[in-house]
């Protein structure tokens, strides 16, 4: 059995973004049904009762998150899990969704940066852009857990989340939501849990969320600061990307526009001791393959660039900062309207 954290802090003083139980499915013929307990009854002393969210299955190992609406409640949740383990109950077989599992460990997540994937399908073709509808739905998910939090986010100039929308067919999308603050994971998952496997309405079209969601990637500002420096950075702009420059819209991802956009967001969300000073970027574009793409919005079309750009930095310190910021871009997005599907980025090298 494992009990893991990513720091050496004690559990009592640790701020958690999430907690996962690691379970191994037991073959039916091996299950000891007389000693099994329902997973939902496990933490029945916690109020509100946790919502159990399946994350992923890999090699028979399942991760299930007991989610609460506020991450501040996780210290009590962790204490209950520890009491259960110390009480010698871990040998019991757990039942969940009519399957038997063996409890093998606990994984604690205290990262600030997360990427969450959710599949959404509809019985009719979806419109070419769902950015505004998904944007509104995300606020609704936060409001389900905490209306005051949702209202607070509405008032922010720089939002701590982004939205990415990938159409896998005319009736199916893969929704990517990224978070830049650890305390947002719990309320978002709590709101999402109310709709997993059920219907929501997007742009007037009934849609159904998949039975599973997945936290596919997480990291922290401290971890990104330790990345080895690269002098050449290749970014792939997977959704239309543009920038505001001198009161106009600039669709070409010039080095200073890309990395100043990222630096502003980094300094807004990173701990104060990890802030970067202002940089007069001297990066070069050494190669690119871009095309413009018009993204239909309610107020009209937004023009942005999609494709890839290779940037080169001759100054070692600028290369170090650009390396960190480019990895941060996977979570923060780049440029304008990143909470409506624009500015989604991948790293190619």
């Amino acid at each position: 059995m494992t009990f893991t954290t990513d720091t050496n802090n004690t559990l009592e003083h640790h701020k958690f973004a999430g907690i996962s139980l690691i379970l191994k499915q037991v073959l039916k013929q091996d299950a000891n049904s007389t000693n099994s307990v329902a997973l939902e009854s496990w933490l029945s002393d916690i109020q509100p009762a946790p919502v159990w969210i399946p994350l992923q299955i890999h090699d028979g190992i399942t991760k299930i998150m007991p989610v609460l609406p506020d991450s501040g409640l996780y210290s009590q949740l962790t204490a209950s899990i520890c009491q259960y383990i110390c009480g010698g109950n871990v040998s019991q077989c757990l039942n969940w969704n009519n399957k038997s599992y063996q409890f093998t460990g606990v994984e604690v997540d205290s990262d600030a940066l997360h990427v969450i994937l959710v599949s959404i399908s509809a019985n009719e073709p979806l419109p070419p852009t769902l950015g505004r509808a998904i944007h509104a739905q995300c606020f609704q998910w936060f409001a389900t857990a905490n209306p005051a939090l949702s209202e607070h986010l509405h008032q922010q100039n720089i939002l701590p989340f982004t939205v990415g929308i990938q159409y896998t067919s005319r009736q199916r999308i893969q929704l990517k939501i990224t978070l830049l603050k650890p305390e947002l994971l719990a309320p978002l998952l709590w709101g999402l849990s109310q709709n997993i496997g059920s219907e929501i309405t997007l742009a007037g079209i009934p849609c159904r969320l998949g039975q599973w969601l997945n936290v596919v990637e997480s990291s922290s500002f401290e971890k990104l600061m330790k990345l080895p420096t690269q002098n050449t950075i290749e970014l792939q702009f997977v959704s239309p990307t543009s920038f505001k420059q001198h009161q106009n819209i600039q669709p070409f991802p010039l080095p200073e526009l890309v990395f100043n956009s990222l630096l502003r967001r980094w300094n807004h969300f990173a701990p104060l001791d990890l802030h970067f000073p202002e940089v007069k970027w001297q990066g070069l574009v050494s190669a690119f393959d871009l095309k413009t793409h018009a993204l239909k919005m309610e107020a009209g079309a937004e023009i942005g660039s999609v494709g890839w750009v290779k940037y080169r930095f001759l100054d070692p310190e600028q290369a170090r900062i650009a390396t960190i910021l480019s990895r941060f871009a996977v979570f923060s997005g780049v440029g304008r309207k990143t909470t409506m599907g624009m500015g989604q980025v991948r790293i190619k090298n």
Side-chain angles (χ1 to χ4, degrees):
M1 183 180 66
T2 58
F3 197 123
T4 62
T5 72
D6 59 359
T7 78
N8 293 324
N9 293 340
T10 62
L11 292 173
E12 290 78 6
H13 301 292
H14 211 97
K15 292 183 178 180
F16 303 134
I19 299 171
S20 298
L21 303 188
I22 304 172
L23 307 177
K24 183 177 182 180
Q25 189 170 351
V26 178
L27 295 176
K28 188 174 180 180
Q29 60 269 28
D30 295 331
N32 188 348
S33 58
T34 59
N35 293 327
S36 65
V37 297
L39 182 59
E40 292 87 345
S41 67
W42 219 49
L43 302 171
S44 57
D45 57 326
I46 300 290
Q47 292 298 325
V51 174
W52 297 87
I53 294 182
L55 290 185
Q56 60 184 11
I57 299 176
H58 184 68
D59 291 338
I61 301 296
T62 300
K63 289 185 180 180
I64 299 176
M65 292 187 76
V67 174
L68 295 170
D70 185 339
S71 62
L73 301 170
Y74 281 155
S75 57
Q76 183 186 359
L77 179 67
T78 306
S80 293
I81 293 173
C82 290
Q83 287 174 3
Y84 186 88
I85 295 172
C86 294
N89 297 313
V90 294
S91 60
Q92 288 184 316
C93 186
L94 296 170
N95 282 325
W96 189 67
N97 279 357
N98 299 318
K99 294 181 180 178
S100 298
Y101 295 91
Q102 178 189 358
F103 174 71
T104 61
V106 177
E107 188 174 85
V108 173
D109 175 4
S110 58
D111 285 335
L113 309 170
H114 293 88
V115 178
I116 300 143
L117 294 183
V118 187
S119 64
I120 298 178
S121 59
N123 292 326
E124 57 184 287
L126 292 163
T129 177
L130 286 168
R132 185 171 290 278
I134 295 288
H135 175 88
Q137 182 62 58
C138 284
F139 279 105
Q140 182 56 53
W141 282 325
F142 285 119
T144 299
N146 186 340
L149 170 65
S150 181
E151 181 59 31
H152 173 72
L153 292 176
H154 259 300
Q155 297 171 0
Q156 303 305 301
N157 292 325
I158 303 179
L159 286 169
F161 71 90
T162 78
V163 165
I165 305 166
Q166 181 183 1
Y167 286 76
T168 55
S169 74
R170 293 186 64 191
Q171 296 176 213
R172 184 181 292 272
I173 62 171
Q174 182 88 314
L175 172 62
K176 182 178 82 170
I177 304 173
T178 69
L179 300 176
L180 307 181
K181 287 187 171 183
E183 62 269 26
L184 294 183
L185 182 62
L188 176 66
L189 294 182
W190 180 271
L192 272 165
S193 71
Q194 311 302 308
N195 295 131
I196 289 177
S198 61
E199 283 194 354
I200 59 172
T201 300
L202 295 174
I205 297 176
C207 300
R208 180 173 290 276
L209 267 66
Q211 295 286 345
W212 298 77
L213 60 83
N214 214 343
V215 182
V216 293
E217 190 169 0
S218 65
S219 190
S220 68
F221 294 97
E222 291 79 5
K223 290 176 184 174
L224 298 186
M225 288 291 288
K226 297 175 182 177
L227 289 170
T229 297
Q230 297 178 212
N231 295 324
T232 300
I233 296 166
E234 191 169 337
L235 292 180
Q236 183 174 13
F237 300 91
V238 296
S239 69
T241 303
S242 67
F243 305 84
K244 198 164 188 178
Q245 184 184 38
H246 308 310
Q247 306 305 315
N248 296 309
I249 303 304
Q250 167 63 269
F252 194 93
L254 296 164
E256 59 271 25
L257 295 179
V258 170
F259 292 95
N260 271 336
S261 167
L262 292 169
L263 190 147
R264 282 193 296 272
R265 291 182 196 188
W266 175 280
N267 282 351
H268 189 82
F269 294 110
L272 187 62
D273 60 334
L274 300 182
H275 284 195
F276 293 121
E278 183 180 347
V279 178
K280 292 185 178 180
W281 295 101
Q282 298 173 338
L284 303 171
V285 173
S286 59
F288 67 89
D289 184 3
L290 292 171
K291 61 181 180 181
T292 56
H293 182 91
L295 186 64
K296 186 179 178 183
M297 294 280 193
E298 281 191 357
E302 288 282 351
I303 305 297
S305 292
V306 293
W308 59 266
V309 179
K310 186 179 290 185
Y311 301 96
R312 187 159 60 96
F313 295 89
L314 302 179
D315 180 87
E317 179 60 11
Q318 290 199 10
R320 183 184 75 86
I321 297 173
T323 300
I324 296 166
L325 293 179
S326 63
R327 192 67 187 82
F328 175 60
V330 173
F331 301 95
S332 71
V334 178
R336 305 168 58 247
K337 298 185 182 297
T338 53
T339 60
M340 296 187 184
M342 296 184 70
Q344 293 293 306
V345 172
R346 293 179 191 147
I347 298 178
K348 291 192 70 176
N349 60 338

